[in-house]
């Protein structure tokens, strides 16, 4: 089921996108036409609960409240129709061999076990190969390797592996005390699996990497990282399966600093290396994404305005985008463009960056967006406002990355839009195109985003506006004016600056190894590679003094931050700040005494 397309030329037919809402389920031709597609007759009515494309975009399945239908997108042919009125989840296996369906699990009134609710159908023949009981909707779908030679699912806290889609025999089991979640690596063999085991009774949580099928023995794991502070964990493999990023988060931040709980970011490489990421700004970690090159990743983090930084595989910062109203990052399919965006409780500002040259391409605004997706062609973007997240102003827009809106559709005021998504394509179908900075021509009239003016109390309404900034904005690192020079940095200057900072960081690290407690809080451009181990003097009294001094210095640091943010400090707090120099001297003397 593959398009007959040469690897270096784009498909002749436009990329389609699917729309599901109160007006039914229908398909639209993507750029440049934006007309309803004749490939799929509109399924009107409000009963469509679910749809999915296959990974290569050639098959399409949907449920209309009575049946699950499967069609071949390329020749419009209906392949199968299954009687599954209650199915709410659908997914194709990577090579289109199997369609997995899930419906809510129910038990009968007399308390006997319910019937299996997870079905696996052979796409060719339409026969049901296997049924399982799968009570939870979360992680309902089995995970396949790219070539479908292995398939895995979590059953009662252990991972069961099947080989070559033979579901009658469990080929392997990965059994640890309580596996909460697992993720199979992408790409070709050898396959790796990352597993997460939550901590209990004071023991830490941990993530381990294994290579299939080597699970036995104390040294079977490729890598292991344990950590506290984890109620839930997100594991992200890079495309080449050389490393996993782990975002560990707690539901509640015990310090009360954040409404979003507390997050930490860990890096685990398949060669056994691991590190805790020391992010240069405190606060929530909103988003972390790998570039498709697998050599770098972008993190969006810190109290608003949030910072965004690209890191390499040594966890060193490569480029800092400064601060801004953002909580999400999206790399284009080819990895050459990065969009930083602020959705949800932010206004929808987007920054589109050329990540090869670190140049800003455009700054469009997609207000009230609840959904964002790159088109497989790496040129177009789909943003949408969907119910139930927002029940008013539902609709979608197709953008060019240069900031032009090429197509816009608003749902009638009494209607709702529930879901919209691009037809997927395999990698390599669309060639990488040279980045353009000139806004693409569009027939859609541009709307100026409504800027809400700040509330002013009646007493101040006729007086001149004084501009007081709540936060100090930090520009991207190549736009920071240098001392005595207001011009942004050139690419060479940026490279030299990075070299200089790397040298500085190396010196600092060497110093830290001699006396780890002297390590300062990391400057934005010199994040240390690993966490620093505690040093001791061997004299508990001196250790105690050092600990107390550090505590005082940390408190002073926090007071200075509050003062910088414009907070009025008490007299005793100001006195504390004045003591900083003396405390630093005392600490240095004690450290050198070690």
């Amino acid at each position: 089921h593959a398009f007959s397309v040469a690897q270096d030329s784009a498909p002749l037919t436009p990329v389609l996108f699917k729309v599901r809402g109160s007006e039914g389920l229908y398909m639209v031709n993507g750029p440049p036409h934006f007309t309803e597609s004749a490939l799929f007759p509109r399924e009107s009515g409000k009963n469509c609960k679910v749809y999915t494309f296959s990974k290569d975009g050639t098959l399409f399945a949907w449920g209309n409240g009575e049946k699950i239908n499967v069609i071949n997108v390329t020749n419009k042919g209906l392949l199968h129709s299954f009687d599954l009125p209650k199915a709410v989840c659908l997914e194709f296996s990577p090579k289109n061999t199997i369609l997995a369906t899930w419906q809510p699990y129910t038990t009968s009134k007399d308390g006997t076990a319910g019937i299996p609710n997870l079905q696996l159908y052979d796409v060719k023949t339409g026969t049901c190969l296997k049924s399982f009981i799968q009570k939870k909707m979360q992680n309902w779908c089995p995970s396949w390797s790219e070539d479908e030679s292995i398939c895995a699912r979590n059953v009662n806290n252990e991972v069961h592996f099947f080989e070559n889609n033979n579901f009658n025999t469990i080929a392997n089991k990965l059994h640890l005390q309580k596996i909460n979640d697992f993720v199979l690596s992408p790409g070709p063999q050898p396959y790796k699996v990352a597993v997460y085991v939550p901590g209990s009774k004071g023991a830490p949580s941990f993530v381990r990497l294994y290579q299939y099928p080597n699970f036995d023995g104390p040294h079977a794991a490729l890598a292991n990282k344990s950590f506290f502070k984890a109620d839930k964990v997100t594991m992200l493999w890079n495309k080449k399966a050389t490393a996993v990023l782990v975002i560990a988060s707690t539901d509640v931040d015990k310090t009360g600093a954040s409404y979003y709980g507390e997050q930490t970011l860990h890096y685990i490489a398949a060669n056994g290396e691991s590190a805790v990421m020391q992010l240069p700004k405190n606060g929530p970690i909103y988003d972390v994404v790998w570039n498709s090159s697998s050599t770098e990743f972008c993190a969006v983090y810190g109290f608003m305005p949030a910072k965004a930084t690209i890191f390499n595989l040594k966890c060193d910062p490569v480029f800092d985008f400064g601060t801004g109203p953002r909580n999400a990052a999206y790399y284009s399919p080819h990895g050459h463009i990065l969009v930083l965006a602020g959705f949800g409780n932010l206004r929808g500002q987007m920054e589109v960056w050329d990540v090869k040259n670190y140049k800003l391409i455009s700054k469009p605004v997609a207000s009230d967006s609840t959904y964002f997706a790159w088109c497989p062609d790496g040129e177009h973007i789909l943003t949408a406002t969907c119910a139930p997240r927002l029940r008013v102003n539902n609709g979608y827009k197709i953008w060019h990355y240069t900031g032009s809106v090429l197509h816009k559709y608003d749902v009638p005021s009494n209607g709702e839009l529930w879901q919209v998504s691009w037809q997927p394509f395999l990698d390599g179908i669309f060639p990488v195109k040279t980045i353009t900075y000139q806004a693409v021509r569009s027939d859609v009239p541009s709307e100026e985003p409504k800027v809400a003016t700040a509330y002013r109390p009646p007493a101040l309404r006729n007086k001149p506006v004084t501009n007081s900034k709540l936060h100090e904005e930090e520009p991207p690192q190549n736009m920071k004016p240098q001392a005595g020079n207001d011009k942004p940095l050139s690419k060479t200057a940026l490279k030299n600056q990075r070299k200089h900072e790397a040298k500085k960081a190396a010196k600092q690290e060497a110093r830290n190894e001699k006396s780890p407690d002297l390590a300062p809080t990391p400057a934005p451009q010199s994040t240390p590679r690993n966490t620093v181990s505690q040093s001791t003097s061997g004299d508990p009294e001196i250790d105690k003094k050092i600990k107390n001094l550090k505590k005082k210095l940390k408190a002073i640091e926090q007071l200075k931050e509050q003062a910088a943010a414009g907070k009025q400090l008490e007299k005793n707090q100001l006195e504390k700040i004045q003591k900083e120099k003396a405390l630093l001297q005392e600490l240095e003397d004690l450290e050198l005494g070690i």
Side-chain angles (χ1 to χ4, degrees):
H1 297 299
F3 281 103
S4 52
V5 175
Q7 283 297 93
D8 59 349
S9 64
L12 301 170
T13 54
V15 181
L16 302 161
F17 60 94
K18 204 75 197 174
V19 183
R20 183 175 72 88
S22 54
E23 296 180 295
L25 176 74
Y26 56 98
M27 226 176 244
V28 180
N29 291 312
H33 308 298
F34 308 111
T35 50
E36 190 166 332
S37 170
L39 277 173
F40 182 87
R42 184 186 282 243
E43 177 94 53
S44 48
K46 300 184 181 182
N47 293 327
C48 176
K49 296 269 192 300
V50 60
Y51 74 73
T52 189
F53 277 103
S54 60
K55 305 277 184 293
D56 63 358
T58 58
L59 301 182
F60 180 74
W62 77 99
N64 57 13
E66 293 169 19
K67 291 182 174 351
I68 297 292
N69 298 314
V70 182
I71 62 162
N72 187 324
V73 179
T74 41
N75 62 15
K76 309 188 203 176
L78 179 69
L79 298 177
H80 300 292
S81 202
F82 303 111
D83 280 319
L84 292 164
K86 291 180 181 167
V88 289
C89 296
L90 302 172
E91 201 164 315
F92 286 101
S93 62
K95 294 183 82 179
N96 303 349
T97 316
I98 285 169
L99 173 68
T101 70
W102 183 89
Q103 58 190 44
Y105 177 72
T106 49
T107 49
S108 50
K109 284 177 185 167
D110 57 6
T112 50
I115 53 165
N117 59 321
L118 164 60
Q119 267 77 31
L120 302 178
Y121 290 95
D122 184 322
V123 172
K124 243 189 196 132
T125 62
T127 53
C128 183
L129 296 175
K130 187 75 179 170
S131 295
F132 294 106
I133 285 179
Q134 170 66 36
K135 294 182 181 176
K136 287 182 183 170
M137 187 177 185
Q138 191 187 357
N139 299 334
W140 70 271
C141 190
S143 289
W144 278 272
S145 61
E146 210 168 75
D147 61 3
E148 295 190 12
S149 61
I150 62 169
C151 176
R153 57 187 297 262
N154 192 345
V155 182
N156 300 329
N157 304 114
E158 59 181 29
V159 185
H160 291 184
F161 291 87
F162 304 94
E163 290 183 352
N164 304 315
N165 288 328
N166 172 10
F167 296 101
N168 296 317
T169 313
I170 297 170
N172 268 296
K173 281 185 185 179
L174 174 51
H175 179 75
L176 296 166
Q177 54 263 48
K178 261 197 175 178
I179 295 173
N180 183 292
D181 196 8
F182 76 95
V183 187
L184 276 185
S185 65
Q189 295 185 5
Y191 299 115
K192 303 178 189 93
V193 59
V195 291
Y196 160 57
V197 174
S200 57
K201 295 177 187 160
S205 307
F206 61 84
V207 168
R208 267 185 207 157
L209 309 188
Y210 290 93
Q211 185 169 307
Y212 183 83
N214 313 326
F215 301 142
D216 296 327
H219 305 296
L222 299 172
N224 180 53
K225 182 89 184 79
S226 53
F227 42 85
F228 290 95
K229 293 188 178 176
D231 291 324
K232 58 177 180 285
V233 149
T234 306
M235 295 176 281
L236 306 166
W237 278 103
N238 63 4
K239 212 170 171 182
K240 290 184 180 163
T242 55
V244 176
L245 288 169
V246 177
I247 307 163
S249 52
T250 57
D251 297 329
V252 177
D253 184 347
K254 297 240 168 71
T255 64
S258 170
Y259 172 76
Y260 297 100
E262 202 177 343
Q263 292 85 23
T264 47
L265 179 60
H266 305 266
Y267 170 90
I268 310 171
N271 64 5
E273 285 181 9
S274 66
V276 183
M277 292 290 300
Q278 299 284 359
L279 296 171
K281 186 173 183 179
N282 292 332
I285 297 170
Y286 305 101
D287 201 5
V288 181
V289 279
W290 279 105
N291 189 323
S292 56
S293 68
S294 298
T295 56
E296 55 186 38
F297 57 92
C298 178
V300 182
Y301 58 93
F303 295 113
M304 283 297 159
K307 260 177 108 66
T309 309
I310 290 178
F311 296 92
N312 61 18
L313 295 182
K314 289 181 179 165
C315 300
D316 293 328
V318 176
F319 186 80
D320 181 22
F321 293 98
T323 59
R326 50 173 91 113
N327 52 18
Y330 307 92
Y331 274 108
S332 65
H334 304 105
H336 63 325
I337 299 174
L338 172 69
V339 174
L340 300 173
F343 296 136
N345 55 2
L346 297 172
R347 285 187 195 166
Q349 286 115 311
M350 299 190 282
E351 293 167 51
V352 183
W353 284 84
D354 166 352
V355 284
K356 200 170 177 217
N357 300 303
Y358 297 116
K359 272 174 81 176
L360 185 65
I361 302 167
S362 63
K363 283 186 86 169
V365 177
S367 32
D368 299 335
S369 296
T370 61
Y371 178 76
F372 175 105
W374 273 101
C375 177
D377 68 7
E379 278 198 275
H380 298 92
I381 289 165
L382 170 62
T383 62
T385 305
C386 299
R389 177 74 179 80
L390 280 175
R391 294 199 185 271
V392 290
N393 300 341
N394 281 189
Y396 62 82
K397 285 177 184 170
I398 308 284
W399 307 71
H400 189 267
Y401 66 76
T402 51
S404 315
V405 177
L406 303 180
H407 177 66
K408 176 176 184 276
Y409 176 72
D410 293 321
V411 174
S413 56
N414 58 346
E416 288 182 350
L417 177 67
W418 301 325
Q419 192 182 0
V420 54
S421 57
W422 293 107
Q423 169 192 19
F425 278 76
L426 295 176
D427 292 345
I429 298 272
F430 289 95
V432 185
K433 289 189 180 170
T434 314
I435 291 175
T436 170
Y437 289 84
Q438 189 61 45
V440 167
R441 203 183 68 77
S442 164
D443 300 328
V444 179
S446 63
E447 299 168 16
E448 281 302 310
K450 293 187 218 71
V451 179
T453 52
Y455 169 77
R456 303 198 75 209
L460 296 177
R461 278 179 197 166
N462 299 320
K463 293 184 180 171
V465 178
T466 52
N467 250 353
S468 60
K469 272 197 171 179
L470 190 62
H471 303 287
E472 204 49 58
E473 292 280 325
E474 191 185 311
Q477 74 179 57
N478 57 354
M479 293 186 193
K480 284 181 183 171
Q482 298 301 94
N485 173 19
D486 289 344
K487 279 187 180 172
L489 292 181
S490 70
K491 211 174 171 193
T492 326
L494 193 62
K495 210 172 181 181
N496 293 338
Q497 184 194 14
R498 236 183 274 145
K499 270 186 189 168
H500 173 68
E501 273 159 359
K503 268 186 192 168
K504 213 162 121 188
K507 270 186 193 168
Q508 182 61 51
E509 212 157 294
R511 225 178 296 154
N512 294 349
E513 276 166 24
K514 286 178 196 163
S515 122
D517 277 0
L518 220 72
T521 48
Q525 288 308 312
S526 57
T527 316
R529 172 73 175 88
N530 283 320
T531 42
V532 174
S533 58
Q534 284 301 111
S535 79
T536 55
S537 62
D539 183 341
E541 274 308 304
I542 291 176
D543 286 349
K544 203 172 178 183
K545 277 182 186 171
I546 289 174
K547 198 176 174 188
N548 284 335
L549 283 169
K550 284 188 171 176
K551 215 172 180 181
K552 285 177 185 172
L553 286 164
K554 196 179 177 188
I556 287 170
E557 203 52 51
Q558 284 170 345
L559 288 173
K560 281 163 81 177
E561 278 175 22
Q562 288 172 8
K567 189 180 172 188
Q568 197 68 42
L569 296 184
E570 302 287 329
K571 190 182 173 194
N572 63 337
Q573 291 176 318
L574 291 166
E575 283 167 3
K576 265 186 193 172
I577 291 174
Q578 284 162 2
K579 289 178 190 167
E580 184 180 27
K581 210 170 181 181
L583 291 172
L584 280 166
Q585 189 57 52
E586 195 181 335
L587 178 65
E588 203 172 318
D589 295 346
L590 282 170
E591 300 271 24
L592 292 171
I594 295 168

